[in-house]
Amino acid sequence: MFPYRRILELQGEEERSLRSIAAMTHHSRQKVTEVIRLAEKRGLKCPLDEEMTDPWIEDFLYPEKKLEASGRHVIDFDYLYAELAKPNVTLTLLHEEYKREAQAQGRIPYAYRTFTEHYHRFAQKYKATMRIRRKPGEALEVDWAGSTLFITDPDTGEKIKVYVFVATLPCSQLSYVEGSLSMDLAAWIKLHQRAFTYMGGVTQIIVPDNLKTGVTKHTFKELVLNQTYEDMARHYQSVIMPARVRAPKDKASVESSVNTVSTWIIASLRNSQCFTLEELNQEIHQKLEAFNHRPFTKKEGSRWSAFMEEEKFALSPLPAKPYQMAEWRTAKVQPDYHISVKSMFYSVPYDYIGKQVDVRASDTVVEVYFHHMRIASHPTLYGKYGQYSTLADHMPAHHKQYAEQTPAEALDWAAKIGEYTLRVVTYLLDSYTIEKQAMKSIFALKKLERNYSVQEIEQACHMACHVTNRPTVKSIQTLIRNNKRETKQKTLTQKNQEVDAKHGFTRGASYFGGKRK
């Protein structure tokens, strides 16, 4: 029998070269190197147990030798294990390819059942994970633990309940655990983000339970997700696929992890007294690291080593910017073409007055959508309630004209009209303490151009300035209407006189019965 154990024990001794090991065992240096490298690859290290005899080590290092003795086509287990990490690759597909390869070489293939049994034994013996139904980086199962923890209020001594979030990768069984004071949507989203950060990547699928925080409706025919939760998944280029109702096997890994976490983390912290959530989460993190690095009982490695070696590579990279929490709501566009969001007002194009719109409100931006098309975007307003964010492009033409008014523009306009109009505008700008009020009055004055000529406006301002040192727009409006009415009356009287002069005649006295003298 080849001295496998002797070679490994010699290699374990200090300063023992491959050349000397080959000389001492009377075998080639190439063969000695092959055995040592295979042992390192399989994780076989000294000291060796008594049961690890030469036949046991040979079976461990060369599992295919027994298959070769059967006369059937040899199975390349390392190839199968690597291929099963790829999307949509199954043992059924690999068995079909194996059969075609065997037939091409004129060898007898194993039947599918025997093929899978051999692979199961190989994976359980040599690999931390067994890739059959669980692909690396494919899914992340998330849930709230049934058990809770507590923190103590330092002032009152009251116990405050802390809910425990658990996220598990089914392939490597790596878990992430964190406590939260609430189970609302904001906490749910933030805990997902921290789980992604802890794992250093994102899975293709997120598998939650049918909790109301994330799933609005889930029936056989219809699935309606919370829009914010779906938006977060889209940001991380993942897909949410909730477990079927009353089908715990759809997320068996997290169900199992919840039970294990309840023992190794929650139960182990039952006597710990923490006064803040941050302090409790530090304790949870320490327990979590010990939990993820604890060796498996029936196979080599730990959750962490299995994740680093066999699953981390399959995770999608984190986006350049983390997801920014946003809340979705609906609003009706008011007649002033604004919507109300948390007692602040944001404009939308006036064409949407009376329409129902969707609003996505985050800490930095408020976005408005109509039929999934964004129609407006504003920076989020803070501070005193009732503030307005209005864009000129959203206004009707006449409103835009008013909004674009400035004192400099008003003075330029008045100077073009005339001296007295400029005097009135200057007075209005000086008399109001609030510029917006002055501009409102000047805008009303400018509107007179729609119905009156420049000369009529200047004349009314001239009259107002001679009557009082404090002219008002209202008095000018009254004067210009009166002037217009008087001018119209004079024009009508003049026309009547002209008609009479042109077409009238004088009858003689004889026509009325009189006599000439």
Side-chain angles (χ1 to χ4, degrees), residues 65-114:
K65 281 194 173 185
K66 285 187 177 180
L67 302 183
E68 288 178 355
S70 67
R72 295 181 181 270
H73 187 54
V74 177
I75 302 172
D76 188 344
F77 293 112
D78 289 318
Y79 170 77
L80 297 182
Y81 191 77
E83 289 299 301
L84 281 171
K86 299 176 181 179
N88 304 318
V89 177
T90 64
L91 273 180
T92 304
L93 172 63
L94 293 173
H95 180 254
E96 288 296 322
E97 294 176 352
Y98 162 77
K99 283 198 306 180
R100 288 196 296 268
E101 182 182 348
Q103 291 167 1
Q105 298 181 15
R107 306 292 296 274
I108 302 173
Y110 284 101
Y112 176 74
R113 181 175 178 180
T114 310

Side-chain angles (χ1 to χ4, degrees), residues 374-391:
R374 191 174 73 170
I375 59 174
S377 178
H378 298 265
T380 303
L381 295 174
Y382 290 98
K384 184 179 179 182
Y385 289 152
Q387 297 182 62
Y388 279 79
S389 177
T390 307
L391 300 181

Side-chain angles (χ1 to χ4, degrees), residues 328 357-360 367-375:
W328 284 90
V357 294
D358 296 314
V359 183
R360 182 180 182 272
E367 298 172 293
V368 186
Y369 293 83
F370 183 72
H371 291 170
H372 307 289
M373 180 180 69
R374 191 174 73 170
I375 59 174

Side-chain angles (χ1 to χ4, degrees), residues 189-260:
I189 297 294
K190 289 179 181 178
L191 290 168
H192 276 68
Q193 291 180 274
R194 290 172 186 162
F196 294 147
T197 303
Y198 177 77
M199 296 170 182
V202 185
T203 56
Q204 301 171 28
I205 302 170
I206 301 172
V207 185
D209 206 345
N210 289 278
L211 69 169
K212 292 183 179 179
T213 308
V215 182
T216 304
K217 183 179 181 182
H218 190 189
T219 64
F220 178 73
K221 296 181 178 180
E222 185 180 14
L223 170 62
V224 180
L225 298 172
N226 177 281
Q227 200 163 2
T228 301
Y229 192 30
E230 189 174 17
D231 192 31
M232 181 214 71
R234 191 181 301 111
H235 178 82
Y236 285 98
Q237 297 183 350
S238 187
V239 177
I240 298 171
M241 295 181 63
R244 292 170 296 171
V245 179
R246 294 183 294 277
K249 289 184 178 180
D250 283 4
K251 52 181 184 63
S253 295
V254 76
E255 294 285 352
S256 175
S257 293
V258 164
N259 294 333
T260 311

Side-chain angles (χ1 to χ4, degrees), residues 416-471:
K416 293 176 182 178
I417 299 298
E419 174 188 353
Y420 291 97
T421 305
L422 179 60
R423 189 181 298 180
V424 171
V425 169
T426 303
Y427 168 75
L428 292 174
L429 289 173
D430 294 338
S431 61
Y432 285 99
T433 56
I434 300 176
E435 182 183 285
K436 189 173 182 179
Q437 293 177 330
M439 296 308 303
K440 187 175 181 179
S441 296
I442 295 171
F443 182 73
L445 182 63
K446 290 184 68 175
K447 285 172 64 177
L448 294 174
E449 278 190 302
R450 298 177 185 176
N451 301 314
Y452 302 98
S453 66
V454 171
Q455 291 78 13
E456 289 173 322
I457 296 174
E458 175 66 13
Q459 183 184 3
C461 290
H462 185 191
M463 295 174 65
C465 289
H466 278 77
V467 172
T468 178
N469 292 327
R470 298 178 179 178

Side-chain angles (χ1 to χ4, degrees), residues 139-176:
L140 176 69
E141 297 176 0
V142 293
D143 203 356
W144 294 103
S147 304
T148 57
L149 290 169
F150 296 90
I151 58 174
T152 304
D153 189 312
D155 297 324
T156 63
E158 177 189 0
K159 284 191 172 183
I160 303 172
K161 185 181 293 186
V162 176
Y163 305 96
V164 181
F165 171 83
V166 182
T168 300
L169 294 168
C171 182
S172 63
Q173 294 297 304
L174 184 79
S175 293
Y176 176 76

Side-chain angles (χ1 to χ4, degrees), residues 42-43 123-129 172-173 290-310:
R42 305 294 192 198
Q124 289 174 343
K125 190 171 184 179
Y126 303 108
K127 300 296 181 181
T129 62
S172 63
Q173 294 297 304
F291 173 74
N292 281 331
H293 286 83
R294 190 164 61 90
F296 289 125
T297 56
K298 296 183 180 180
K299 52 190 174 183
E300 294 293 328
S302 64
R303 289 173 172 82
W304 184 259
S305 65
F307 167 73
M308 294 301 293
E309 295 170 10
E310 303 174 14

Side-chain angles (χ1 to χ4, degrees), residues 499-508 511-512:
V499 169
D500 290 343
K502 184 176 181 180
H503 300 287
F505 55 90
T506 303
R507 303 180 187 276
Y511 178 83
F512 297 100

